[in-house]
Each structure stands twice: as structure tokens, then as C-alpha cells.
Amino acid sequence: MTGSPGDGPRSLTSALHERLRADILATRLLPGQKLHIAGLAKQFSVSLAAVREALSRLVADGLVLASDQRGFRVSPVSLADLADVTQTRIDIEGLALRRSIGRGDDAWLASVKSAWADLKAVPYRYPDDPTVHYEEWVVRHRIFHRALVNACGSPWLLGFRDVLHEQSERYRRLSIRREVGKPRDVEAEHKAIVAAVVKRDADAAVRALAKHFGITKEFVELASPRIAEVNGAN
């Protein structure tokens, strides 16, 4: 990992934190995988201290576990954790969405419509490899879901929501790697949320959001052999 001559230790640490975070969320670093400080320092050409600080930040994010005896490893996944993350996300994000619908002005509504249009404009998966998300879709999907709740008026609520989104993202990335023999129309799920938001029907919007998250949970459960496989491989 290289930076400009003016980059100091803290900026390098931040860059490493973002790189490792992206690799964990994209499941390039798998749940349960050991994270060797010396190996990462050599791989990214940074100091041991920079690696330790970056990993400590990821521990605070809930994406890495630290143990005195076993060092650092990517946080594991499980169906029990999936159920907890999903229900808590429904509770937190549903509240944020309800508040946004009540507080949001026309500019907020326009931002939701714009984010929705941008999301529809890119494919969900790579055409030549359906087990991999189209990366631009992932970026626009995150922006779309954040736009829905941006008008809630609570930085604390948005902060909790963002943590839960990242945790659920790992499960979604794992589930798409394994075909489960069941079709899913993600665009229709998003369309139902937007339609309710445009009508400012908070109850319908929250129901559509909860259904959307529940379907994701269902597909992850169908792919659960893959989850067991990656946890057991590290």
C-alpha cells in the first residue's frame, strides 16, 4: 500500500482499515479467517503498529474479533447471528424510515427517486458470473438504502443502521455465491418500498422494507451450507 509523500502513519492506517473493511464486506476475507499482523504489514508495506490500529478499528466495527491467545480473525457468521442482525435491522431501519417519511421534504423524496433510478440502471450480477455481485450495483444499493433513511434526523439512529447494514452485507455476499434454485426479484422488492415512500405511507413502506430484509434472510438460510463451509475452513 503506497501513498503520497505527505501521507503520515494515520492516513496509511485509515487506508489499510478501509481496504480490509472492503475485503471483509466483499467476503474476499472470509468469516473466521485468521489475520496475521506481520503478513498484512508485509503485504501492504505498512508498519506493525499501523496494522494493529487498523484491526482494532475493525474490532470496534464488529467485523473482526480479537483474542489474547489467538490474535485477530474475521468475525464468524451463523444463522443465529443472521436472525439477530435481520430483526434488529428491521427494527432500527424501519424506525429511521418511518421518521424520514414524516420529516423528509421534497428534496429528500427526489434523492430517493434518483438513487432508485441509479440502482435500476446497473445489473445485479455479472453476466458471465452470476455468483458475483456487480460491484457498481453494490455501491448504488448502499446509497439507495441510505437515501431512504437520510431524513430521519438522528445521527445516532443512522450510525446504528450503518453498522447493521455492513453486518448484513457479508451474509448477502456469501449467499449469492451459492445458487439456491429459487428466483428472486430484488428490483420488485425495492420498487414496493419506493412506491410506499412516494405515497408517504409509512406503514406500507416499513412492511415492504421488513419483507425485503426477510427475503434476504431466507436466501441466506438456503445457502447455509456455504456459510458452514467458510466458517469451518479457517
Side-chain angles (χ1 to χ4, degrees), residues 43-65:
Q43 179 182 351
F44 294 109
S45 301
V46 297
S47 68
L48 297 176
V51 175
R52 289 193 187 94
E53 183 175 344
L55 292 176
S56 294
R57 292 186 192 180
L58 290 166
V59 170
D61 294 339
L63 296 174
V64 167
L65 293 180

Side-chain angles (χ1 to χ4, degrees), residues 1-16 45-47 50 53 57:
M1 181 174 292
T2 59
S4 64
D7 285 344
R10 184 158 297 278
S11 62
L12 289 175
T13 298
S14 296
L16 178 59
S45 301
V46 297
S47 68
E53 183 175 344
R57 292 186 192 180

Side-chain angles (χ1 to χ4, degrees), residues 76-89 167-168 170-172 175 213-214 216-222 224 227:
V77 292
S78 70
L79 293 182
D81 181 65
L82 168 66
D84 190 10
V85 167
T86 301
Q87 185 57 57
T88 307
R89 191 178 178 201
Q167 291 295 332
S168 62
R170 290 200 302 155
Y171 285 101
R172 192 163 57 77
S175 69
F213 292 164
T216 296
K217 174 177 174 288
E218 178 185 351
F219 270 73
V220 175
E221 288 170 340
L222 289 171
S224 58
I227 292 178

Side-chain angles (χ1 to χ4, degrees), residues 32-112:
Q33 183 172 334
K34 293 181 179 178
L35 299 169
H36 299 285
I37 293 175
L40 291 171
K42 182 177 180 180
Q43 179 182 351
F44 294 109
S45 301
V46 297
S47 68
L48 297 176
V51 175
R52 289 193 187 94
E53 183 175 344
L55 292 176
S56 294
R57 292 186 192 180
L58 290 166
V59 170
D61 294 339
L63 296 174
V64 167
L65 293 180
S67 168
D68 291 339
Q69 290 76 32
R70 305 183 69 181
F72 294 93
R73 62 178 56 237
V74 178
S75 294
V77 292
S78 70
L79 293 182
D81 181 65
L82 168 66
D84 190 10
V85 167
T86 301
Q87 185 57 57
T88 307
R89 191 178 178 201
I90 288 171
D91 294 340
I92 294 294
E93 199 150 342
L95 175 59
L97 179 58
R98 187 178 296 277
R99 288 188 182 180
S100 288
I101 291 172
R103 297 167 55 97
D105 57 13
D106 289 342
W108 165 73
L109 197 58
S111 73
V112 170

